[in-house]
Amino acid sequence: MDALQANKIVKEFKANYNKNTPDRLKLCDVFCVYYGCLASIVTVYCLVFGSYPFNAFLSAVFACMGCFVLTVALRMQSNPNNAAQFKGMKIQTAFSHFALCCTLLIFVCVHFMG
Amino acid sequence: NHFFELLPLSLFSFVRCPTSHPTLFFPHADFRRMHKRLPLLPSLVLLVISLAVLVSPSEGGATVYTQPVTLPRTRTLVLLNSEADKESYKTFFGFLESFLEVEYRTTDVVLQKYGEFLYDNVIIFGSTKDLDLNILSFVDGGNNVMIVSQPLREGEDPETALPDYLREAAIECGVYFTDANVVDNFHHDSVNNQILTSNFVKARPIFRTPPKSPIVYHGLGLMVEKHNPLLIPIVTAESTAFTGPVGDGEDTASPQAMGTDVALAVGLQTRNGSRVVFVGSTALFLDNAPSQNLALVQEVTLWNLQKRGVLRYSEVEHRKQIEDGRTTYRIRDFLHFSVKVEEFVDTKWVPFRAEDLQLEFTMIDPYIRQSLKYDLAKNDGTYTLDFQAPDVYGIFKFAVDYRRVGYSPLIFYKQATVRPLKLNEYERYIPAAFPYYACTFSVMASFILFARLFLGMKE
């Protein structure tokens, strides 16, 4: 019985998500999932083959995780339901913050990679 | 180098100086003008020093060292018991005079005057007078000594064979002169106390060719301290020998030494290169002794006077195997070490040949310890070794510590710095890290793609 109920919940969630989420948020979600997958692949590679250039591993993981967090923040800011929390900040301002942070993060990660 | 370390210091002093007290340095001056100029001076000095350090040349290329040369030492003193002894040992003294300046005395001996030694070698030849000389300080000064005791005559006290001050000096070196002659009932000449022995130490520096026939010996036995690495029992008695008897009839004590523990001639190689030889009988040196006696005595004397088995090193060189302009050593560098070792044999220095000369590359503990290879192409005593420095940085020593029986110790070290890799000397584009590079650059590409898509969306 529990398996059937879980199945039903997942189906409802998927239908609701596809219908009710704006496109922008879906885009952010896709990229978040992508960053998460990248980070896990890289971690598995490190566990199997050893962490020899540990700084390279850290830089890859940090880039993925950092961009994940920044994309989540952008998603929160671009959600129209949260407009009151951000005091009506324009979407372009939010995106410019996101772009600046991402640039800085990737710059640092490429440097740390050696 | 150090420019970047000194630069912030100089700038810091420029900022810091207004709090210093100009009154202490310029009591007569007008401080309102001085106050503006004073902070500049220390910072300028520091900047100049840092620039000088930047411009100064770094250390030179391969480093080469040579050991100082020692002069020949021929001043010899022979202490006799009486003047008549000169006639009985003419062969031996003639042999000495052929390459030394010999002075014969029976009393009135001064070894040291105003801090300098008056002789280089001393042979105490059966002297029984209590001269109370400081033999050991003479040896510590790098000079050679031979102490020969008289054989004990029938019914006489042990003091007549060797005076007490010499016995005590011998004991300090680890050699004990027993109180009786050596007796051997199985290996002897016509008389029981003229024993025969063929036990000679196997050391090339002392006996270049080992004596073939046994020597005839009549004299005191010596006991040698065990586990003393400096002592060499040069001639020992056969396993059937013993020292004694001491005392008569019922008072006879058991022998002090038995078998091959009874030494007849003992050598001491000191750490500063000088040598002491203790012999228990002057009868070995007699003119009418068998020829093998005289041959043995000559070989032992040559070793004692440092005419054999003396090692010296020269032309120590250490450098990198590949010359690429970089002079300091780095971890995991390939290094080359070479040294020339020579041995003094009778009259001249000849190349020294050994298979077990070791080099230690050590920083507290030896990280590398390998045998040096003899360079057959040059064949002049040059030994070389090529090795890789360990993956550890610090101040290392190229150390050679070679001690063998009969040879003088060959100990020296040269210091070398091994530095870690600089920031731009590490590996780049490591193949094992390609997934990580791919991940980070894909994050960068995906960000650009995301930006394009996000901003293009209509809301």
Side-chain angles (χ1 to χ4, degrees):
Chain A
M1 299 308 139
D2 284 334
L4 277 173
Q5 279 191 340
N7 230 354
K8 209 170 85 174
I9 290 171
V10 167
K11 271 214 173 81
E12 272 187 35
F13 171 76
K14 269 194 186 168
N16 196 12
Y17 179 80
N18 279 330
K19 201 171 67 166
N20 289 347
T21 14
D23 281 341
R24 278 215 160 99
L25 304 190
K26 276 197 207 159
L27 183 70
C28 292
D29 288 338
V30 164
F31 276 89
C32 285
V33 165
Y34 174 65
Y35 292 140
C37 287
L38 267 187
S40 47
I41 290 170
V42 149
T43 310
V44 164
Y45 174 85
C46 176
L47 288 172
V48 169
F49 293 98
S51 63
Y52 161 49
F54 196 56
N55 55 324
F57 164 69
L58 284 181
S59 132
V61 164
F62 198 62
C64 291
M65 289 292 108
C67 282
F68 176 91
V69 165
L70 291 171
T71 315
V72 163
L74 180 65
R75 186 191 194 276
M76 279 164 49
Q77 284 180 327
S78 59
N79 197 344
N81 299 343
N82 296 342
Q85 194 179 356
F86 292 107
K87 298 189 181 62
M89 179 161 53
K90 288 206 204 112
I91 190 84
Q92 286 86 357
T93 321
F95 180 79
S96 67
H97 293 170
F98 163 79
L100 183 68
C101 291
C102 235
T103 308
L104 191 62
L105 170 73
I106 291 175
F107 180 78
V108 166
C109 283
V110 166
H111 262 276
F112 190 59
M113 209 160 48
Chain B
N1 32 77
H2 307 293
F3 175 65
F4 292 104
E5 292 159 25
L6 286 177
L7 183 59
L9 183 64
S10 60
L11 295 175
F12 182 67
S13 69
F14 176 75
V15 171
R16 187 94 171 81
C17 261
T19 60
S20 63
H21 284 279
T23 50
L24 291 172
F25 297 106
F26 300 96
H28 60 280
D30 173 6
F31 298 119
R32 281 167 297 172
R33 280 193 2 220
M34 266 304 159
H35 210 68
K36 284 214 176 111
R37 237 182 287 157
L38 198 57
L40 208 52
L41 186 60
S43 58
L44 270 180
V45 167
L46 276 167
L47 269 171
V48 166
I49 292 171
S50 59
L51 281 170
V53 168
L54 176 72
V55 169
S56 67
S58 49
E59 297 168 6
T63 32
V64 180
Y65 307 88
T66 310
Q67 194 181 14
V69 177
T70 53
L71 300 163
R73 288 146 356 141
T74 53
R75 300 172 303 170
T76 310
L77 167 72
V78 175
L79 261 182
L80 299 166
N81 203 15
S82 66
E83 287 292 325
D85 284 343
K86 266 206 240 176
E87 306 301 317
S88 321
Y89 305 97
K90 261 213 175 68
T91 321
F92 178 62
F93 293 143
F95 164 72
L96 284 181
E97 278 164 9
S98 65
F99 59 96
L100 295 171
E101 302 163 16
V102 188
E103 192 179 318
Y104 300 93
R105 280 180 186 266
T106 51
T107 54
D108 198 27
V109 172
V110 170
L111 289 178
Q112 209 177 356
K113 206 164 184 184
Y114 308 128
E116 282 197 1
F117 293 107
L118 299 174
Y119 305 100
D120 302 312
N121 312 300
V122 164
I123 300 181
I124 300 175
F125 205 79
S127 159
T128 52
K129 299 182 178 56
D130 189 10
L131 296 168
D132 209 13
L133 302 168
N134 198 345
I135 294 293
L136 292 179
S137 78
F138 185 74
V139 171
D140 285 342
N143 305 302
N144 309 311
V145 172
M146 183 187 276
I147 298 176
V148 189
S149 77
Q150 300 265 6
L152 195 59
R153 274 178 278 277
E154 286 294 329
E156 299 231 9
D157 281 332
E159 284 86 41
T160 56
L162 192 70
D164 274 341
Y165 77 97
L166 286 176
R167 268 185 205 273
E168 281 161 16
I171 287 174
E172 268 216 48
C173 296
V175 173
Y176 180 68
F177 281 83
T178 57
D179 296 329
N181 287 340
V182 183
V183 176
D184 193 336
N185 292 320
F186 292 86
H187 300 94
H188 59 87
D189 208 4
S190 50
V191 188
N192 263 19
N193 56 4
Q194 295 250 26
I195 66 163
L196 299 172
T197 178
S198 350
N199 285 346
F200 308 107
V201 71
K202 292 182 180 49
R204 256 192 68 246
I206 307 178
F207 297 116
R208 292 193 78 75
T209 50
K212 289 183 189 53
S213 35
I215 59 157
V216 180
Y217 183 87
H218 165 58
L220 293 181
L222 279 68
M223 283 161 63
V224 177
E225 191 184 58
K226 299 247 187 308
H227 311 300
N228 186 335
L230 304 175
L231 287 174
I232 309 165
I234 300 174
V235 185
T236 51
E238 298 282 355
S239 53
T240 49
F242 58 95
T243 60
V246 180
D248 285 326
E250 286 153 14
D251 291 337
T252 311
S254 54
Q256 286 169 309
M258 296 182 278
T260 48
D261 286 345
V262 178
L264 309 178
V266 182
L268 173 80
Q269 167 80 58
T270 61
R271 293 188 186 92
N272 60 4
S274 57
R275 289 162 177 169
V276 187
V277 168
F278 305 90
V279 188
S281 161
T282 49
L284 266 181
F285 301 73
L286 280 170
D287 282 345
N288 51 7
S291 64
Q292 60 266 27
N293 270 24
L294 290 169
L296 172 93
V297 147
Q298 284 185 3
E299 305 233 340
V300 174
T301 311
L302 280 175
W303 182 82
N304 183 33
L305 297 168
Q306 290 188 270
K307 297 277 176 247
R308 281 195 181 165
V310 181
L311 298 175
R312 76 168 177 191
Y313 66 93
S314 55
E315 294 175 26
V316 179
E317 186 195 353
H318 55 86
R319 57 177 166 82
K320 295 197 348 257
Q321 283 176 30
I322 309 161
E323 289 300 331
D324 57 1
R326 185 167 52 81
T327 52
T328 49
Y329 297 144
R330 221 173 53 184
I331 56 170
R332 289 182 256 130
D333 253 350
F334 289 94
L335 303 177
H336 170 89
F337 179 84
S338 81
V339 63
K340 184 161 140 181
V341 179
E342 285 164 310
E343 179 189 2
F344 193 80
V345 177
D346 294 340
T347 47
K348 55 182 174 27
W349 293 96
V350 299
F352 176 65
R353 185 74 197 267
E355 304 300 324
D356 57 351
L357 193 63
Q358 272 181 341
L359 173 73
E360 290 177 2
F361 192 63
T362 166
M363 174 165 67
I364 300 171
D365 295 314
Y367 286 81
I368 304 271
R369 187 188 268 148
Q370 290 183 17
S371 297
L372 287 163
K373 291 190 195 47
Y374 187 71
D375 191 348
L376 282 165
K378 273 197 189 166
N379 210 20
D380 62 352
T382 309
Y383 290 83
T384 58
L385 180 65
D386 293 323
F387 65 97
Q388 186 179 21
D391 197 0
V392 181
Y393 62 88
I395 313 286
F396 281 84
K397 288 197 291 202
F398 289 93
V400 168
D401 187 337
Y402 187 74
R403 301 169 211 243
R404 295 290 182 270
V405 169
Y407 288 107
S408 60
L410 184 70
I411 305 168
F412 64 91
Y413 74 87
K414 299 301 170 196
Q415 192 171 292
T417 316
V418 173
R419 67 162 173 85
L421 298 179
K422 285 189 187 151
L423 285 180
N424 59 350
E425 286 170 349
Y426 285 98
E427 290 177 284
R428 263 193 131 169
Y429 315 126
I430 303 166
F434 281 167
Y436 306 130
Y437 303 156
C439 176
T440 312
F441 286 115
S442 96
V443 165
M444 190 195 296
S446 68
F447 161 71
I448 292 168
L449 177 67
F450 175 82
R452 177 71 187 84
L453 292 173
F454 190 88
L455 292 173
M457 269 183 187
K458 292 192 177 53
E459 193 63 36

